[in-house]
Amino acid sequence: MSDDLVLCTTDGDGVATVTFNRPDRKNGWSPDLEAAYFGTLDRVDRDTDVRAVVLTGAGTAFCPGMDASRLNEKAGKGLDLSGRPPQYRPRTLRKPLIAAINGGCAGIGLVQALMCDVRFAARGAKFSTAFARRGLAAEYGLSWVLPRYVGLENALDLLLSARTFDADEAHRLGLVSRVVERDDVLAQAQAYAADLARNCAPTALAAIRHQVYGDLEVGLDEALRRSLQVMVATNGAADFVEGMRSFIERRPPRFAPLADDFDPGALTGAPIPGGRLAADDVLG
């Protein structure tokens, strides 16, 4: 595995830009790329200089799915998922993850885009679930994720037809929140991430991200119980004092970096669904 498969740079605002770097293969997914990407997330999660993360692709594509050569090699031979990490690992990241979708985004590439918190898409970028047109069912829990973004009928349309749709339709459906010109998509995603990094408390960002994903499958009473538990912890913390002082004094906040041992799950008392579930846990 080469570290060059995934590039990572961090700017002065604390924004790490993570780039799928297989432009000669349109950033087609592979086990090596997967391991490099999730390993990079592990590193930026523990890097106190990083406060927000932007994910993009090198060249003209984001990630069009599994590398076509690998698909062809594995067709009809079965799939060995042993040793592969959970595809929902990005949801356990403690820092905001912003997608800058600069081009083709399909299959497992779409799954990874949906694991980001906010998605910027380049105008003209193409999307597809892809699976049905390759003789495959909805993989990696996409049948659970997609209806939560676009509703039942739209999810069934996209999964059954596996048709190609563009960034503007993705925006209308609710798959992405911003559509910008291709030359601007990375810069705008980075500017959004920089605003979070400069003005929002890292502990609050980690807690909120954990709350949203952790509350997806619980009722209101349980979500309120967890929320009250978090409120007790955060209202007595130094970040709240700094947040109020900076507001009253009309100055930028000076929030402390995220502590290496900060565990948002300890605040909510709950794990993130699917965040640590690997194929080995299910298939043996």
Side-chain angles (χ1 to χ4, degrees), residues 44 48 65 73 104 118 144 157 166 171 180 199 208 239 268 280:
V44 299
T48 56
E73 174 190 340
V118 178
W144 184 92
D157 166 32
D166 66 9
H171 182 257
V180 299
N199 297 305
I208 289 169
D239 280 343
T268 66
D280 293 348

Side-chain angles (χ1 to χ4, degrees), residues 3 22 81-82 126 142-143 146 155 175 183-184 207 240 250:
D3 290 340
R22 299 186 74 209
L81 295 171
S82 59
K126 303 297 184 183
L142 196 57
S143 56
L146 204 54
L175 275 180
D183 291 345
D184 299 330
F240 181 48
R250 298 180 181 276

Side-chain angles (χ1 to χ4, degrees), residues 10 37-38 56 72 77 103 116 135-136 158 161 182 198 217 247 273:
T10 303
Y37 173 46
F38 292 152
T56 194
N72 186 57
K77 298 178 182 177
C116 296
L136 299 170
L158 298 180
S161 70
R182 186 179 298 273
R198 288 192 298 262
E217 287 299 286
F247 176 73

Side-chain angles (χ1 to χ4, degrees), residues 20-284:
F20 297 142
N21 189 42
R22 299 186 74 209
D24 56 318
R25 302 297 302 171
K26 302 293 184 183
N27 302 317
W29 197 259
S30 70
D32 284 350
L33 177 64
E34 178 178 278
Y37 173 46
F38 292 152
T40 299
L41 290 186
D42 289 340
R43 290 192 293 275
V44 299
D45 195 46
R46 299 298 175 186
D47 188 340
T48 56
D49 290 333
V50 174
R51 297 195 174 209
V53 184
V54 172
L55 175 65
T56 194
T60 60
F62 178 76
C63 175
M66 189 65 70
D67 188 291
S69 63
R70 178 171 173 80
L71 282 176
N72 186 57
E73 174 190 340
K74 296 297 181 182
K77 298 178 182 177
L79 183 63
D80 181 7
L81 295 171
S82 59
R84 291 192 42 196
Q87 290 303 314
Y88 284 28
R89 160 65 182 94
R91 283 196 168 174
T92 68
L93 191 69
R94 299 177 302 164
K95 299 167 183 182
L97 182 57
I98 315 303
I101 303 169
N102 54 308
C105 179
I108 195 171
L110 178 61
V111 171
Q112 291 308 321
L114 294 179
M115 291 304 98
C116 296
D117 306 317
V118 178
R119 283 162 292 283
F120 288 68
R123 181 161 282 109
K126 303 297 184 183
F127 296 77
S128 175
T129 60
F131 297 116
R133 298 197 180 212
R134 305 295 176 264
L136 299 170
E139 295 191 343
Y140 302 111
L142 196 57
S143 56
W144 184 92
V145 174
L146 204 54
R148 283 162 170 75
Y149 283 104
V150 302
L152 183 60
E153 182 174 349
N154 286 327
L156 282 166
D157 166 32
L158 298 180
L159 286 167
L160 293 172
S161 70
R163 63 183 177 83
T164 299
F165 55 101
D166 66 9
D168 288 314
E169 183 175 2
H171 182 257
R172 290 195 299 272
L173 290 170
L175 275 180
V176 303
S177 59
R178 277 89 163 167
V179 178
V180 299
E181 296 307 314
R182 186 179 298 273
D183 291 345
D184 299 330
V185 65
L186 179 57
Q188 291 208 25
Q190 289 170 327
Y192 177 88
D195 179 65
L196 301 183
R198 288 192 298 262
N199 297 305
C200 300
T203 52
L205 294 174
I208 289 169
R209 198 175 193 274
H210 194 97
Q211 284 178 284
V212 171
Y213 292 127
D215 287 348
L216 281 173
E217 287 299 286
V218 301
L220 178 58
D221 285 350
E222 176 61 13
L224 283 172
R225 184 196 67 77
R226 295 178 184 179
S227 178
L228 293 172
Q229 185 171 315
V230 173
M231 288 169 64
V232 170
T234 56
N235 275 257
D239 280 343
F240 181 48
V241 175
E242 173 58 18
M244 289 306 303
R245 283 180 177 170
S246 62
F247 176 73
I248 292 169
E249 296 169 7
R250 298 180 181 276
R251 60 169 175 81
R254 295 186 290 269
F255 293 118
L258 190 66
D260 183 68
D261 61 352
F262 179 75
D263 179 9
L267 293 184
T268 66
I272 291 177
R276 303 194 184 280
L277 184 66
D280 293 348
D281 299 320
V282 178
L283 303 176

